[in-house]
Amino acid sequence: MLNANRDRVTSGDNTSAACRIISCMAAMPEPSLILSFEDARHLVETHAAHLRPRGKELVELLEGAGQVLAEPLLADRNFPPFPRSMRDGYAVRAADLSRLPASLEVIGEIKAGARSEDIPTLQPGQAAAIMTGAPAPPGADAVVMVEYTSGSAGRVQIMKPVAAGDNIAAVASEAKRGERLLSPGARLDFTAIALAASVGRSRLLVYSKPKVAVLSTGDEVVDIDVLPTATQTRNSNTYSLAAQVQAAGGEPVLLPIAPDEPGRLRELIADGLESDLLLLAGGVSMGKYDLIEQVLAEFQAEFLFTGVQIQPGKPIVFGRVSCGPGRLARDLPESSPAHAYFFGLPGNPVSTMVTFELFARPVLEALAGMPVRKLTFLKARLKSEIKTKTGLKRFLPAMLSGEFEETEVELAAWQGSGDIASMARANCYVVIPPDRERIPAGEWVPVLMR
Ligand code: AMP
Ligand code: MG
Protein backbone atom coordinates (compact mmCIF):
# COMPACT_ATOMS: atom_id res chain seq x y z
CA MET A 1 0.00 0.00 0.00
CA LEU A 2 2.67 2.46 1.00
CA ASN A 3 4.81 1.81 -2.07
CA ALA A 4 1.88 2.29 -4.39
CA ASN A 5 1.12 5.62 -2.80
CA ARG A 6 4.69 6.75 -2.93
CA ASP A 7 4.95 5.97 -6.64
CA ARG A 8 1.77 7.80 -7.33
CA VAL A 9 2.90 10.98 -5.64
CA THR A 10 6.46 10.91 -6.95
CA SER A 11 5.41 10.62 -10.54
CA GLY A 12 2.56 13.08 -10.30
CA ASP A 13 4.26 15.88 -8.38
CA ASN A 14 6.84 18.57 -9.17
CA THR A 15 10.58 18.41 -8.42
CA SER A 16 10.50 20.06 -5.00
CA ALA A 17 7.72 17.74 -3.92
CA ALA A 18 9.80 14.82 -5.19
CA CYS A 19 12.69 15.99 -2.99
CA ARG A 20 10.36 16.03 -0.03
CA ILE A 21 9.29 12.52 -0.91
CA ILE A 22 12.91 11.32 -0.77
CA SER A 23 13.20 12.67 2.76
CA CYS A 24 9.83 11.20 3.66
CA MET A 25 10.79 7.73 2.50
CA ALA A 26 13.24 7.47 5.37
CA ALA A 27 10.50 8.48 7.76
CA MET A 28 7.78 6.14 6.50
CA PRO A 29 6.33 4.09 9.36
CA GLU A 30 7.55 0.59 10.02
CA PRO A 31 4.99 -2.04 9.02
CA SER A 32 5.57 -3.69 12.40
CA LEU A 33 3.92 -0.86 14.28
CA ILE A 34 0.70 -2.79 14.71
CA LEU A 35 0.13 -3.24 18.43
CA SER A 36 -2.19 -5.16 20.69
CA PHE A 37 -5.02 -3.09 22.15
CA GLU A 38 -3.43 -3.03 25.61
CA ASP A 39 0.04 -2.04 24.35
CA ALA A 40 -1.42 0.71 22.17
CA ARG A 41 -3.52 2.08 25.00
CA HIS A 42 -0.51 2.05 27.38
CA LEU A 43 1.61 3.85 24.82
CA VAL A 44 -1.04 6.54 24.43
CA GLU A 45 -1.34 6.88 28.21
CA THR A 46 2.45 7.19 28.57
CA HIS A 47 2.61 10.01 26.04
CA ALA A 48 -0.50 11.68 27.42
CA ALA A 49 1.03 11.74 30.91
CA HIS A 50 3.68 14.21 29.67
CA LEU A 51 1.25 16.67 28.09
CA ARG A 52 0.23 19.94 29.70
CA PRO A 53 -2.59 22.40 29.02
CA ARG A 54 -1.82 25.60 27.12
CA GLY A 55 -2.88 28.09 29.83
CA LYS A 56 -5.33 29.09 32.56
CA GLU A 57 -8.27 31.45 32.78
CA LEU A 58 -10.69 32.78 35.40
CA VAL A 59 -14.34 31.92 34.73
CA GLU A 60 -17.70 32.38 36.43
CA LEU A 61 -18.68 29.34 38.51
CA LEU A 62 -21.28 27.93 36.13
CA GLU A 63 -19.21 28.70 33.05
CA GLY A 64 -16.62 26.39 34.59
CA ALA A 65 -19.01 23.39 34.61
CA GLY A 66 -17.40 20.66 32.50
CA GLN A 67 -14.01 22.41 32.49
CA VAL A 68 -10.92 21.42 34.42
CA LEU A 69 -9.85 23.08 37.68
CA ALA A 70 -6.45 24.80 37.48
CA GLU A 71 -6.06 25.70 41.18
CA PRO A 72 -6.48 23.86 44.48
CA LEU A 73 -9.94 24.33 46.00
CA LEU A 74 -9.61 24.98 49.75
CA ALA A 75 -12.13 24.84 52.58
CA ASP A 76 -12.67 28.45 53.72
CA ARG A 77 -13.99 27.28 57.13
CA ASN A 78 -14.57 24.03 58.99
CA PHE A 79 -17.15 21.69 57.44
CA PRO A 80 -19.47 21.58 59.24
CA PRO A 81 -18.59 24.77 61.15
CA PHE A 82 -20.83 23.72 64.10
CA PRO A 83 -21.98 20.30 65.40
CA ARG A 84 -24.80 19.78 62.89
CA SER A 85 -27.89 17.71 63.59
CA MET A 86 -28.44 15.17 60.83
CA ARG A 87 -32.05 14.45 61.79
CA ASP A 88 -35.25 16.03 63.01
CA GLY A 89 -35.69 14.89 66.63
CA TYR A 90 -34.34 15.63 70.09
CA ALA A 91 -30.83 16.59 71.13
CA VAL A 92 -29.96 14.50 74.21
CA ARG A 93 -27.16 13.26 76.45
CA ALA A 94 -26.72 9.61 75.46
CA ALA A 95 -26.00 8.72 79.12
CA ASP A 96 -29.58 9.79 80.03
CA LEU A 97 -30.96 6.95 77.91
CA SER A 98 -29.43 4.02 79.79
CA ARG A 99 -32.92 2.98 80.92
CA LEU A 100 -35.81 3.05 78.44
CA PRO A 101 -38.28 4.46 77.95
CA ALA A 102 -36.65 7.63 79.30
CA SER A 103 -38.56 10.78 80.15
CA LEU A 104 -36.64 14.05 79.66
CA GLU A 105 -37.51 17.71 80.22
CA VAL A 106 -37.71 19.66 76.92
CA ILE A 107 -35.99 23.02 77.41
CA GLY A 108 -36.46 24.53 73.98
CA GLU A 109 -36.46 24.16 70.20
CA ILE A 110 -33.47 24.68 67.90
CA LYS A 111 -34.09 25.29 64.23
CA ALA A 112 -31.58 25.40 61.35
CA GLY A 113 -29.76 28.72 61.35
CA ALA A 114 -30.39 29.36 65.10
CA ARG A 115 -27.91 31.88 66.54
CA SER A 116 -25.47 30.44 69.08
CA GLU A 117 -26.53 32.96 71.77
CA ASP A 118 -30.11 31.62 71.54
CA ILE A 119 -29.11 28.00 72.09
CA PRO A 120 -29.62 26.61 75.62
CA THR A 121 -27.07 24.38 77.33
CA LEU A 122 -28.37 20.91 78.14
CA GLN A 123 -28.16 19.67 81.74
CA PRO A 124 -28.60 16.01 82.80
CA GLY A 125 -32.22 14.94 82.34
CA GLN A 126 -32.91 17.52 79.65
CA ALA A 127 -33.53 17.43 75.88
CA ALA A 128 -34.08 20.05 73.15
CA ALA A 129 -36.26 19.65 70.07
CA ILE A 130 -33.95 20.02 67.06
CA MET A 131 -34.28 20.19 63.26
CA THR A 132 -32.03 18.78 60.54
CA GLY A 133 -29.15 21.20 59.88
CA ALA A 134 -29.49 22.96 63.24
CA PRO A 135 -26.57 23.31 65.69
CA ALA A 136 -26.59 20.73 68.49
CA PRO A 137 -26.66 22.49 71.86
CA PRO A 138 -23.73 22.44 74.29
CA GLY A 139 -24.09 19.47 76.62
CA ALA A 140 -25.82 17.28 74.01
CA ASP A 141 -23.85 14.45 72.41
CA ALA A 142 -26.51 12.77 70.24
CA VAL A 143 -29.81 13.29 68.46
CA VAL A 144 -32.71 10.84 68.71
CA MET A 145 -34.91 10.68 65.62
CA VAL A 146 -38.40 12.07 66.21
CA GLU A 147 -39.82 8.71 65.05
CA TYR A 148 -38.58 7.10 68.31
CA THR A 149 -40.10 9.69 70.64
CA SER A 150 -43.43 10.97 71.87
CA GLY A 151 -43.80 14.33 73.54
CA SER A 152 -46.35 16.11 75.74
CA ALA A 153 -46.48 18.99 78.27
CA GLY A 154 -42.82 20.00 78.12
CA ARG A 155 -41.51 16.45 78.33
CA VAL A 156 -40.40 13.85 75.80
CA GLN A 157 -40.47 10.05 76.08
CA ILE A 158 -37.68 8.28 74.26
CA MET A 159 -38.07 4.65 73.21
CA LYS A 160 -34.73 3.88 71.53
CA PRO A 161 -31.15 4.15 72.79
CA VAL A 162 -28.46 6.21 71.04
CA ALA A 163 -24.69 6.21 71.31
CA ALA A 164 -22.67 9.39 71.83
CA GLY A 165 -22.15 11.01 68.44
CA ASP A 166 -25.22 9.49 66.79
CA ASN A 167 -26.91 11.79 64.24
CA ILE A 168 -24.53 14.70 64.83
CA ALA A 169 -21.87 15.64 62.25
CA ALA A 170 -18.97 16.85 64.42
CA VAL A 171 -17.22 20.17 63.71
CA ALA A 172 -14.69 19.77 60.83
CA SER A 173 -15.57 16.08 60.39
CA GLU A 174 -16.05 16.63 56.64
CA ALA A 175 -13.13 19.06 56.15
CA LYS A 176 -10.91 21.30 58.24
CA ARG A 177 -10.54 24.99 57.45
CA GLY A 178 -7.73 25.38 54.88
CA GLU A 179 -7.89 21.71 53.82
CA ARG A 180 -7.61 20.92 50.10
CA LEU A 181 -10.95 19.70 48.79
CA LEU A 182 -10.04 19.39 45.10
CA SER A 183 -6.71 19.48 43.27
CA PRO A 184 -5.86 21.03 39.91
CA GLY A 185 -6.93 18.58 37.22
CA ALA A 186 -10.38 17.84 38.68
CA ARG A 187 -13.14 17.96 36.09
CA LEU A 188 -15.82 20.34 37.30
CA ASP A 189 -18.86 18.08 37.35
CA PHE A 190 -21.93 18.98 39.37
CA THR A 191 -20.39 17.69 42.62
CA ALA A 192 -17.30 19.86 42.16
CA ILE A 193 -19.50 22.85 41.30
CA ALA A 194 -21.46 22.25 44.52
CA LEU A 195 -18.20 22.07 46.48
CA ALA A 196 -16.95 25.34 44.96
CA ALA A 197 -20.29 26.98 45.78
CA SER A 198 -20.09 25.67 49.36
CA VAL A 199 -16.74 27.42 49.88
CA GLY A 200 -18.06 30.64 48.42
CA ARG A 201 -16.24 30.64 45.08
CA SER A 202 -18.18 32.55 42.44
CA ARG A 203 -15.19 32.37 40.08
CA LEU A 204 -12.70 29.60 39.44
CA LEU A 205 -9.37 29.29 37.70
CA VAL A 206 -9.68 26.66 34.96
CA TYR A 207 -7.34 25.37 32.26
CA SER A 208 -7.87 26.77 28.78
CA LYS A 209 -9.58 24.21 26.57
CA PRO A 210 -7.21 22.52 24.12
CA LYS A 211 -7.82 23.29 20.47
CA VAL A 212 -8.37 20.09 18.53
CA ALA A 213 -8.24 20.27 14.73
CA VAL A 214 -10.62 17.92 12.95
CA LEU A 215 -9.77 17.01 9.37
CA SER A 216 -11.95 14.61 7.40
CA THR A 217 -10.54 13.28 4.17
CA GLY A 218 -11.90 11.58 1.08
CA ASP A 219 -12.78 12.54 -2.49
CA GLU A 220 -16.24 11.07 -2.02
CA VAL A 221 -16.99 13.05 1.14
CA VAL A 222 -19.10 16.22 0.80
CA ASP A 223 -20.17 18.76 3.36
CA ILE A 224 -23.62 18.59 4.88
CA ASP A 225 -25.03 21.62 3.07
CA VAL A 226 -24.16 20.09 -0.33
CA LEU A 227 -26.61 17.74 -2.06
CA PRO A 228 -24.59 14.54 -2.54
CA THR A 229 -24.57 12.72 -5.86
CA ALA A 230 -25.62 9.05 -5.80
CA THR A 231 -22.12 7.86 -4.87
CA GLN A 232 -21.01 10.64 -2.57
CA THR A 233 -21.10 10.47 1.23
CA ARG A 234 -22.05 13.30 3.55
CA ASN A 235 -19.36 14.27 6.04
CA SER A 236 -20.50 12.94 9.39
CA ASN A 237 -17.06 12.31 10.90
CA THR A 238 -16.17 15.96 11.32
CA TYR A 239 -19.33 16.45 13.32
CA SER A 240 -19.19 13.30 15.43
CA LEU A 241 -15.56 14.05 16.29
CA ALA A 242 -16.30 17.69 17.07
CA ALA A 243 -19.09 16.60 19.42
CA GLN A 244 -16.80 14.03 21.07
CA VAL A 245 -14.05 16.65 21.44
CA GLN A 246 -16.49 19.03 23.13
CA ALA A 247 -17.75 16.31 25.46
CA ALA A 248 -14.16 15.45 26.43
CA GLY A 249 -13.35 19.08 27.31
CA GLY A 250 -11.74 20.34 24.09
CA GLU A 251 -12.55 23.02 21.55
CA PRO A 252 -12.91 21.60 18.05
CA VAL A 253 -11.39 23.47 15.12
CA LEU A 254 -13.20 22.31 11.98
CA LEU A 255 -11.02 22.17 8.89
CA PRO A 256 -12.41 21.84 5.35
CA ILE A 257 -12.71 18.34 3.88
CA ALA A 258 -9.39 17.25 2.37
CA PRO A 259 -9.43 15.51 -1.01
CA ASP A 260 -7.34 12.36 -1.57
CA GLU A 261 -4.64 14.49 -3.14
CA PRO A 262 -1.29 15.07 -1.44
CA GLY A 263 -0.89 18.79 -2.15
CA ARG A 264 -4.11 19.98 -0.52
CA LEU A 265 -3.83 17.31 2.18
CA ARG A 266 -0.38 18.66 3.05
CA GLU A 267 -1.72 22.22 3.37
CA LEU A 268 -4.59 21.17 5.60
CA ILE A 269 -2.39 18.93 7.77
CA ALA A 270 -0.02 21.87 8.25
CA ASP A 271 -3.02 23.95 9.36
CA GLY A 272 -4.17 21.18 11.67
CA LEU A 273 -0.76 20.87 13.32
CA GLU A 274 -1.18 24.45 14.57
CA SER A 275 -3.76 23.15 17.04
CA ASP A 276 -2.92 21.30 20.27
CA LEU A 277 -4.00 18.01 18.71
CA LEU A 278 -4.85 16.97 15.16
CA LEU A 279 -7.52 14.36 14.45
CA LEU A 280 -7.61 13.07 10.89
CA ALA A 281 -10.43 10.85 9.73
CA GLY A 282 -10.18 8.57 6.72
CA GLY A 283 -7.31 7.74 4.43
CA VAL A 284 -5.38 5.43 6.78
CA SER A 285 -6.43 2.04 5.37
CA MET A 286 -4.88 -0.09 2.64
CA GLY A 287 -6.53 1.62 -0.34
CA LYS A 288 -4.54 3.18 -3.14
CA TYR A 289 -5.81 6.64 -2.17
CA ASP A 290 -5.18 6.32 1.54
CA LEU A 291 -2.45 8.96 1.69
CA ILE A 292 -2.44 10.15 5.29
CA GLU A 293 0.66 8.31 6.51
CA GLN A 294 2.60 9.27 3.43
CA VAL A 295 1.80 12.97 3.76
CA LEU A 296 2.44 12.94 7.52
CA ALA A 297 5.83 11.37 6.82
CA GLU A 298 6.68 14.48 4.82
CA PHE A 299 6.40 16.39 8.10
CA GLN A 300 9.03 14.04 9.56
CA ALA A 301 6.29 12.56 11.67
CA GLU A 302 7.26 10.00 14.28
CA PHE A 303 4.78 7.14 14.04
CA LEU A 304 4.10 5.56 17.43
CA PHE A 305 1.74 2.98 15.98
CA THR A 306 0.10 2.47 12.62
CA GLY A 307 -2.47 -0.14 13.57
CA VAL A 308 -4.06 -1.83 16.57
CA GLN A 309 -5.46 -5.38 16.76
CA ILE A 310 -9.04 -4.20 17.27
CA GLN A 311 -12.34 -4.11 15.47
CA PRO A 312 -13.61 -1.61 14.53
CA GLY A 313 -10.69 0.69 13.87
CA LYS A 314 -7.69 -1.54 13.10
CA PRO A 315 -5.82 0.92 10.83
CA ILE A 316 -5.65 3.69 13.46
CA VAL A 317 -2.43 5.74 13.41
CA PHE A 318 -0.89 7.61 16.33
CA GLY A 319 2.15 9.83 16.14
CA ARG A 320 3.69 13.21 16.61
CA VAL A 321 5.52 15.87 14.72
CA SER A 322 8.40 17.70 16.30
CA CYS A 323 7.84 21.43 16.67
CA GLY A 324 11.56 22.16 17.18
CA PRO A 325 13.32 24.89 15.18
CA GLY A 326 13.64 24.13 11.48
CA ARG A 327 11.32 21.10 11.60
CA LEU A 328 8.15 22.93 10.74
CA ALA A 329 7.69 26.32 9.14
CA ARG A 330 5.81 27.64 12.15
CA ASP A 331 6.48 30.69 14.23
CA LEU A 332 6.12 29.22 17.70
CA PRO A 333 6.71 30.89 21.05
CA GLU A 334 9.45 29.48 23.33
CA SER A 335 6.95 27.91 25.74
CA SER A 336 5.30 25.82 23.03
CA PRO A 337 5.27 22.06 23.49
CA ALA A 338 7.97 20.05 21.77
CA HIS A 339 5.52 17.99 19.75
CA ALA A 340 2.18 18.22 18.03
CA TYR A 341 0.36 14.90 18.37
CA PHE A 342 -1.96 13.49 15.76
CA PHE A 343 -4.31 10.56 15.31
CA GLY A 344 -5.19 9.17 11.90
CA LEU A 345 -8.57 7.59 12.60
CA PRO A 346 -10.18 5.21 10.11
CA GLY A 347 -12.90 6.92 8.08
CA ASN A 348 -15.72 4.45 8.59
CA PRO A 349 -17.97 6.45 10.92
CA VAL A 350 -18.29 3.84 13.68
CA SER A 351 -14.52 3.20 13.58
CA THR A 352 -13.91 6.94 13.85
CA MET A 353 -16.16 7.23 16.90
CA VAL A 354 -14.80 4.15 18.69
CA THR A 355 -11.11 4.89 18.09
CA PHE A 356 -11.59 8.44 19.35
CA GLU A 357 -12.96 7.07 22.63
CA LEU A 358 -10.31 4.37 23.00
CA PHE A 359 -7.20 6.37 22.07
CA ALA A 360 -7.69 10.08 21.33
CA ARG A 361 -9.69 10.88 24.46
CA PRO A 362 -6.81 10.35 26.96
CA VAL A 363 -4.52 12.65 24.96
CA LEU A 364 -7.23 15.30 24.76
CA GLU A 365 -8.00 14.98 28.46
CA ALA A 366 -4.31 15.40 29.33
CA LEU A 367 -4.13 18.53 27.16
CA ALA A 368 -7.23 19.74 29.00
CA GLY A 369 -5.37 19.34 32.31
CA MET A 370 -6.79 16.07 33.60
CA PRO A 371 -4.65 13.24 34.96
CA VAL A 372 -4.59 10.21 32.68
CA ARG A 373 -7.29 7.72 33.63
CA LYS A 374 -7.20 3.99 33.14
CA LEU A 375 -9.88 2.57 30.91
CA THR A 376 -12.30 0.52 33.00
CA PHE A 377 -15.06 -1.79 31.90
CA LEU A 378 -18.27 -2.71 33.66
CA LYS A 379 -19.75 -6.20 33.46
CA ALA A 380 -23.19 -7.22 32.29
CA ARG A 381 -24.91 -10.51 31.54
CA LEU A 382 -25.05 -11.40 27.85
CA LYS A 383 -28.62 -11.72 26.55
CA SER A 384 -27.94 -13.72 23.39
CA GLU A 385 -25.00 -15.77 22.18
CA ILE A 386 -22.19 -14.08 20.22
CA LYS A 387 -20.23 -15.85 17.50
CA THR A 388 -17.19 -14.14 16.08
CA LYS A 389 -13.66 -14.73 14.77
CA THR A 390 -10.53 -14.76 16.86
CA GLY A 391 -7.54 -12.44 16.42
CA LEU A 392 -8.90 -8.98 17.23
CA LYS A 393 -10.23 -7.39 20.39
CA ARG A 394 -13.70 -6.23 19.47
CA PHE A 395 -15.69 -3.27 20.72
CA LEU A 396 -19.12 -3.92 19.27
CA PRO A 397 -22.05 -1.50 19.58
CA ALA A 398 -24.55 -2.96 22.03
CA MET A 399 -27.58 -2.19 24.15
CA LEU A 400 -27.84 -2.39 27.90
CA SER A 401 -31.32 -3.16 29.11
CA GLY A 402 -33.11 -4.64 32.11
CA GLU A 403 -34.02 -3.12 35.41
CA PHE A 404 -32.42 -2.59 38.81
CA GLU A 405 -29.70 -5.21 39.41
CA GLU A 406 -30.72 -7.28 36.38
CA THR A 407 -28.69 -5.58 33.68
CA GLU A 408 -28.41 -7.42 30.39
CA VAL A 409 -26.50 -6.57 27.27
CA GLU A 410 -26.97 -7.57 23.67
CA LEU A 411 -25.23 -6.68 20.42
CA ALA A 412 -26.90 -4.09 18.22
CA ALA A 413 -27.81 -5.51 14.81
CA TRP A 414 -25.34 -3.73 12.57
CA GLN A 415 -24.08 -3.82 9.03
CA GLY A 416 -20.47 -3.04 9.92
CA SER A 417 -18.49 0.09 10.75
CA GLY A 418 -20.38 2.28 8.31
CA ASP A 419 -23.70 1.75 10.12
CA ILE A 420 -24.24 5.02 11.98
CA ALA A 421 -27.95 4.33 12.56
CA SER A 422 -27.18 1.15 14.49
CA MET A 423 -24.49 2.96 16.47
CA ALA A 424 -26.94 5.72 17.37
CA ARG A 425 -29.41 3.13 18.74
CA ALA A 426 -26.69 1.48 20.86
CA ASN A 427 -25.69 2.79 24.28
CA CYS A 428 -22.48 0.87 25.02
CA TYR A 429 -19.91 -1.51 23.53
CA VAL A 430 -19.50 -5.18 24.36
CA VAL A 431 -15.80 -5.97 24.64
CA ILE A 432 -14.82 -9.33 23.15
CA PRO A 433 -11.33 -10.67 23.85
CA PRO A 434 -9.28 -11.74 20.79
CA ASP A 435 -9.26 -15.43 21.79
CA ARG A 436 -13.03 -15.95 21.98
CA GLU A 437 -15.00 -17.45 19.08
CA ARG A 438 -18.24 -18.00 20.93
CA ILE A 439 -19.70 -16.41 24.03
CA PRO A 440 -22.83 -18.14 25.33
CA ALA A 441 -25.89 -16.28 26.56
CA GLY A 442 -25.78 -15.72 30.31
CA GLU A 443 -22.03 -15.11 30.54
CA TRP A 444 -20.87 -11.91 32.26
CA VAL A 445 -19.11 -9.84 29.61
CA PRO A 446 -17.09 -6.62 29.84
CA VAL A 447 -18.93 -3.53 28.67
CA LEU A 448 -17.54 -0.10 27.83
CA MET A 449 -20.05 2.66 28.47
CA ARG A 450 -20.26 5.48 26.02
P1 AMP B 1 -11.46 5.45 4.48
O1 AMP B 1 -11.03 5.24 5.89
O2 AMP B 1 -11.01 6.76 3.92
O3 AMP B 1 -11.07 4.28 3.62
O4 AMP B 1 -13.04 5.49 4.48
C1 AMP B 1 -13.78 4.36 4.90
C2 AMP B 1 -15.25 4.58 4.69
O5 AMP B 1 -15.69 5.66 5.49
C3 AMP B 1 -15.66 4.93 3.29
O6 AMP B 1 -16.87 4.28 3.02
C4 AMP B 1 -15.84 6.41 3.32
O7 AMP B 1 -16.71 6.88 2.34
C5 AMP B 1 -16.39 6.64 4.70
N1 AMP B 1 -16.03 7.97 5.18
C6 AMP B 1 -14.80 8.50 5.12
N2 AMP B 1 -14.81 9.74 5.63
C7 AMP B 1 -16.08 10.00 6.00
C8 AMP B 1 -16.72 11.11 6.62
N3 AMP B 1 -16.04 12.23 6.90
N4 AMP B 1 -18.03 11.03 6.90
C9 AMP B 1 -18.72 9.89 6.61
N5 AMP B 1 -18.16 8.81 6.06
C10 AMP B 1 -16.86 8.85 5.73
MG1 MG C 1 -10.97 7.63 2.09
Side-chain angles (χ1 to χ4, degrees), residues 28 35 65 109 114 150 178 237 350:
M28 284 306 275
L35 306 184
E109 180 191 274
S150 64
N237 287 342
V350 176

PDB file of all heavy atoms in Angstrom, residues 28 35 65 109 114 150 178 237 350:
ATOM      1  N   MET A  28       9.023   6.910   6.604  1.00  0.00           N
ATOM      2  CA  MET A  28       7.780   6.141   6.504  1.00  0.00           C
ATOM      3  C   MET A  28       7.680   5.150   7.658  1.00  0.00           C
ATOM      4  O   MET A  28       8.675   4.576   8.082  1.00  0.00           O
ATOM      5  CB  MET A  28       7.731   5.372   5.176  1.00  0.00           C
ATOM      6  CG  MET A  28       7.399   6.261   3.988  1.00  0.00           C
ATOM      7  SD  MET A  28       5.900   7.229   4.187  1.00  0.00           S
ATOM      8  CE  MET A  28       4.706   6.025   3.657  1.00  0.00           C
ATOM      9  N   LEU A  35       0.041  -2.834  17.027  1.00  0.00           N
ATOM     10  CA  LEU A  35       0.134  -3.244  18.429  1.00  0.00           C
ATOM     11  C   LEU A  35      -1.138  -3.939  18.903  1.00  0.00           C
ATOM     12  O   LEU A  35      -2.198  -3.795  18.287  1.00  0.00           O
ATOM     13  CB  LEU A  35       0.371  -2.018  19.319  1.00  0.00           C
ATOM     14  CG  LEU A  35       1.559  -1.111  18.986  1.00  0.00           C
ATOM     15  CD1 LEU A  35       1.694  -0.016  20.032  1.00  0.00           C
ATOM     16  CD2 LEU A  35       2.853  -1.907  18.901  1.00  0.00           C
ATOM     17  N   ALA A  65     -18.469  24.762  34.603  1.00  0.00           N
ATOM     18  CA  ALA A  65     -19.009  23.393  34.609  1.00  0.00           C
ATOM     19  C   ALA A  65     -18.508  22.642  33.382  1.00  0.00           C
ATOM     20  O   ALA A  65     -18.609  23.139  32.263  1.00  0.00           O
ATOM     21  CB  ALA A  65     -20.529  23.427  34.644  1.00  0.00           C
ATOM     22  N   GLU A 109     -36.423  24.675  71.578  1.00  0.00           N
ATOM     23  CA  GLU A 109     -36.455  24.158  70.199  1.00  0.00           C
ATOM     24  C   GLU A 109     -35.346  24.869  69.425  1.00  0.00           C
ATOM     25  O   GLU A 109     -35.197  26.083  69.539  1.00  0.00           O
ATOM     26  CB  GLU A 109     -37.822  24.478  69.590  1.00  0.00           C
ATOM     27  CG  GLU A 109     -37.977  23.984  68.175  1.00  0.00           C
ATOM     28  CD  GLU A 109     -39.231  24.563  67.527  1.00  0.00           C
ATOM     29  OE1 GLU A 109     -40.309  23.979  67.709  1.00  0.00           O
ATOM     30  OE2 GLU A 109     -39.113  25.598  66.835  1.00  0.00           O
ATOM     31  N   ALA A 114     -30.249  28.724  63.778  1.00  0.00           N
ATOM     32  CA  ALA A 114     -30.390  29.355  65.101  1.00  0.00           C
ATOM     33  C   ALA A 114     -29.059  29.994  65.512  1.00  0.00           C
ATOM     34  O   ALA A 114     -27.998  29.425  65.276  1.00  0.00           O
ATOM     35  CB  ALA A 114     -30.815  28.304  66.120  1.00  0.00           C
ATOM     36  N   SER A 150     -42.082  10.382  71.820  1.00  0.00           N
ATOM     37  CA  SER A 150     -43.430  10.970  71.871  1.00  0.00           C
ATOM     38  C   SER A 150     -43.380  12.058  72.936  1.00  0.00           C
ATOM     39  O   SER A 150     -42.764  11.867  73.997  1.00  0.00           O
ATOM     40  CB  SER A 150     -44.479   9.906  72.190  1.00  0.00           C
ATOM     41  OG  SER A 150     -44.254   9.390  73.476  1.00  0.00           O
ATOM     42  N   GLY A 178      -9.021  25.354  55.567  1.00  0.00           N
ATOM     43  CA  GLY A 178      -7.726  25.375  54.879  1.00  0.00           C
ATOM     44  C   GLY A 178      -7.395  24.063  54.170  1.00  0.00           C
ATOM     45  O   GLY A 178      -6.445  23.993  53.395  1.00  0.00           O
ATOM     46  N   ASN A 237     -18.174  12.473   9.942  1.00  0.00           N
ATOM     47  CA  ASN A 237     -17.063  12.307  10.896  1.00  0.00           C
ATOM     48  C   ASN A 237     -16.624  13.618  11.547  1.00  0.00           C
ATOM     49  O   ASN A 237     -16.308  13.659  12.734  1.00  0.00           O
ATOM     50  CB  ASN A 237     -15.855  11.673  10.207  1.00  0.00           C
ATOM     51  CG  ASN A 237     -16.081  10.204   9.921  1.00  0.00           C
ATOM     52  OD1 ASN A 237     -16.963   9.594  10.520  1.00  0.00           O
ATOM     53  ND2 ASN A 237     -15.305   9.646   9.009  1.00  0.00           N
ATOM     54  N   VAL A 350     -18.307   4.495  12.367  1.00  0.00           N
ATOM     55  CA  VAL A 350     -18.288   3.845  13.678  1.00  0.00           C
ATOM     56  C   VAL A 350     -16.834   3.671  14.146  1.00  0.00           C
ATOM     57  O   VAL A 350     -16.511   3.889  15.326  1.00  0.00           O
ATOM     58  CB  VAL A 350     -19.041   2.500  13.652  1.00  0.00           C
ATOM     59  CG1 VAL A 350     -18.936   1.792  14.988  1.00  0.00           C
ATOM     60  CG2 VAL A 350     -20.507   2.728  13.286  1.00  0.00           C
TER      61      VAL A 350
END
